[in-house]
Amino acid sequence: MRTARNTAAVLALGLASIAITGCSASGDDTGEPVTLEYWAWAPGSQEEVDAFNASHPDIQVKHIDAGGGETSSAKLITALRAGNAPDLALVENTALPRMIVSGVPLDITDHVADVQENFAPGSWEQTTFDGHTFAIPQDVGPMALLYRQDIFEKFGVEPPVTWQDYRDAAATIKEQDPSLTMASLSTDGWGWYAPVAAQAGDDWWSVEGETWTVDIDGDKSRQVMDFFQDMYDDGLIAADPILTPTYNKQLNDGTMLTWPSAVWAPGVIEGVAPSTAGKWALAPLPRWDADDPTVSFQGGSSVIVTSSSEHPEEAAEFAKWLNASEEGAEMILNVQNGYPAALSGQEIATEQDPPALMPQQTDYYEIVAEIAKNTKPVTWGPNTDVAAAAFTDAMNAAVQNGTPWADALTATQDAVVADMKEQGFTVKEGD
């Protein structure tokens, strides 16, 4: 079993431990303001920091844009090991378990328990492992369907309730206009397939006690892959990269009809196809079971206090203000253009105008709030980077060679399990 640097992280992930904790000093005996460093890539982060600094003279935060994605996570691990990590950092939820294993975040359970009720259980559970909280949720991405309302209406197609409805709608439209494509599910979209498989009932990772279970190659996950491969084989969807010049042209000319993604999607589409505003609408993501509206999250990020921070109490105060207060949540909504994890931010959203992409959908945020009520967290593993690389390679090969897409799950599971065992985890594979 693996040794970790943070006792709470060890407890949360079920690993063998040594009792090393993060720094606990707080306050500043000099009478000078406590100065904190915050790494975040989200738009508007500097404006948020400025607002906090103006109202908290005893705590001053310095914002640094360290970039997002894998680059940001790698920088953070390197900085901690070099002894120059920030006090706080924005972390993508898919990377949080890997950060915990690396000893990056501090267990802030005691610092943030007073704001837990400000979040829906599904949002809070994404940052809590075995009762220990390692981050405060900032923005969430409940999955939803963005679709060309005008074209659906032209062909007499209703927004699909189930995935079978989605396929049927695609076939109806394709029969009348073969130039139209329902969606493109990119071969590098492991982070899309994982929550859609979770919606079907398969968790790719789960942890109990000292044992991680890896079930990427589960029966329901394979059924998901078979379903979308059948759509691809019938010419109803593509498997090309999204948000490329070619893809963006299809969005603009109306030949790409839907984007099954998350509630953050309208801002992305508006950015690359602004002339299509008023033609799109948002609906709940199609379901596998018509009676079960549950969806998972795609995307989302949270703020951690690093284990090396000399001022964890003050750092937690900033994280709570930014993510749990009404003022901070409203800035996440309106300055950052994210969908706040805090319930107060989601409530504020219902009183606002819809996104610029769909000005006609005046009930947009009511629909989003309803979607957010029926969410379940995705448990991400400690080596999502390995999963991403293995899945992408295997899916590219499957699409190119015409072999079963479901076999990409086998290849991904094999790579993930081998890597976890090499790192010293106790692993079992799903039934």
Side-chain angles (χ1 to χ4, degrees):
M1 289 177 286
R2 180 183 174 84
T3 299
R5 299 177 59 183
N6 183 297
T7 303
V10 172
L11 292 171
L13 298 176
L15 311 174
S17 67
I18 56 176
I20 299 178
T21 60
C23 301
S24 59
S26 63
D28 192 327
D29 294 336
T30 67
E32 295 295 322
V34 169
T35 300
L36 306 173
E37 190 173 287
Y38 171 49
W39 285 9
W41 65 84
S45 293
Q46 183 61 58
E47 189 172 338
E48 293 163 350
V49 165
D50 290 343
F52 175 85
N53 288 343
S55 59
H56 293 75
D58 294 336
I59 306 173
Q60 295 294 287
V61 180
K62 178 182 179 182
H63 168 246
I64 295 176
D65 186 346
E70 292 297 328
T71 300
S72 178
S73 298
K75 285 181 180 177
L76 199 51
I77 293 172
T78 300
L80 184 81
R81 292 171 178 169
N84 55 10
D87 296 276
L88 303 108
L90 187 63
V91 173
E92 293 181 347
N93 291 334
T94 53
L96 183 57
R98 182 151 44 97
M99 295 293 99
I100 296 171
V101 169
S102 299
V104 176
L106 185 69
D107 178 351
I108 55 174
T109 306
D110 293 339
H111 293 301
V112 301
D114 58 324
V115 298
Q116 180 175 347
E117 293 185 356
N118 295 32
F119 301 86
S123 299
W124 194 259
E125 287 170 16
Q126 292 189 107
T127 64
T128 300
F129 300 83
D130 201 25
H132 295 265
T133 301
F134 291 90
I136 299 184
Q138 180 166 113
D139 62 281
V140 290
M143 296 190 76
L145 178 70
L146 194 62
Y147 68 99
R148 279 292 295 258
Q149 184 178 33
D150 59 331
I151 296 175
F152 272 47
E153 290 176 351
K154 175 183 177 181
F155 292 110
V157 173
E158 295 291 327
V161 174
T162 67
W163 283 111
Q164 185 59 50
D165 293 340
Y166 183 79
R167 180 194 165 86
D168 293 344
T172 296
I173 293 172
K174 194 77 171 180
E175 183 178 359
Q176 298 179 69
D177 188 341
S179 70
L180 304 182
T181 301
M182 196 64 157
S184 186
L185 304 183
S186 179
T187 54
D188 64 357
W190 76 277
W192 185 86
Y193 282 104
V196 172
Q199 181 195 31
D202 270 2
D203 292 315
W204 283 12
W205 288 272
S206 58
V207 61
E208 183 175 357
E210 298 184 354
T211 303
W212 278 92
T213 298
V214 180
D215 196 25
I216 297 171
D217 199 20
D219 290 341
K220 292 180 180 178
S221 297
R222 296 186 69 87
Q223 291 170 19
V224 167
M225 302 301 289
D226 289 343
F227 179 86
F228 290 111
Q229 183 170 16
D230 285 344
M231 288 192 69
Y232 175 80
D233 290 343
D234 288 345
L236 303 179
I237 61 172
D240 302 318
I242 64 173
L243 301 178
T244 62
T246 298
Y247 181 86
N248 294 346
K249 180 179 182 299
Q250 293 174 310
L251 293 177
N252 278 279
D253 64 21
T255 56
M256 185 64 65
L257 304 185
T258 74
W259 189 14
S261 49
V263 299
W264 41 256
V268 178
I269 299 296
E270 200 273 333
V272 298
S275 64
T276 62
K279 299 178 180 179
W280 294 87
L282 184 130
L285 191 75
R287 313 168 182 179
W288 296 110
D289 180 346
D291 297 324
D292 184 2
T294 303
V295 298
S296 292
F297 297 98
Q298 184 184 9
S301 57
S302 303
V303 174
I304 65 168
V305 175
T306 64
S307 58
S308 61
S309 174
E310 295 182 357
H311 304 287
E313 184 176 341
E314 289 83 358
E317 184 173 345
F318 168 70
K320 289 192 291 185
W321 176 89
L322 176 58
N323 303 302
S325 74
E326 286 193 17
E327 182 180 1
E330 186 170 4
M331 294 192 78
I332 290 169
L333 177 67
N334 292 320
V335 177
Q336 189 171 307
N337 294 322
Y339 188 64
L343 295 173
S344 60
Q346 295 177 11
E347 179 61 30
I348 291 170
T350 63
E351 302 169 0
Q352 300 199 155
D353 293 335
L357 187 69
M358 56 263 299
Q360 82 288 354
Q361 193 171 7
T362 55
D363 62 348
Y364 173 85
Y365 281 113
E366 284 81 1
I367 292 174
V368 170
E370 192 62 31
I371 292 171
K373 291 179 183 177
N374 299 294
T375 53
K376 61 174 290 187
V378 178
T379 300
W380 302 104
N383 57 346
T384 50
D385 53 335
V386 173
F391 182 90
T392 301
D393 288 346
M395 274 294 289
N396 281 328
V399 170
Q400 182 176 351
N401 299 328
T403 54
W405 288 14
D407 289 352
L409 300 177
T410 307
T412 304
Q413 171 140 335
D414 288 347
V416 165
V417 169
D419 178 72
M420 290 180 69
K421 287 182 176 179
E422 183 177 346
Q423 292 188 58
F425 290 98
T426 300
V427 184
K428 75 172 186 178
E429 301 191 53
D431 297 330

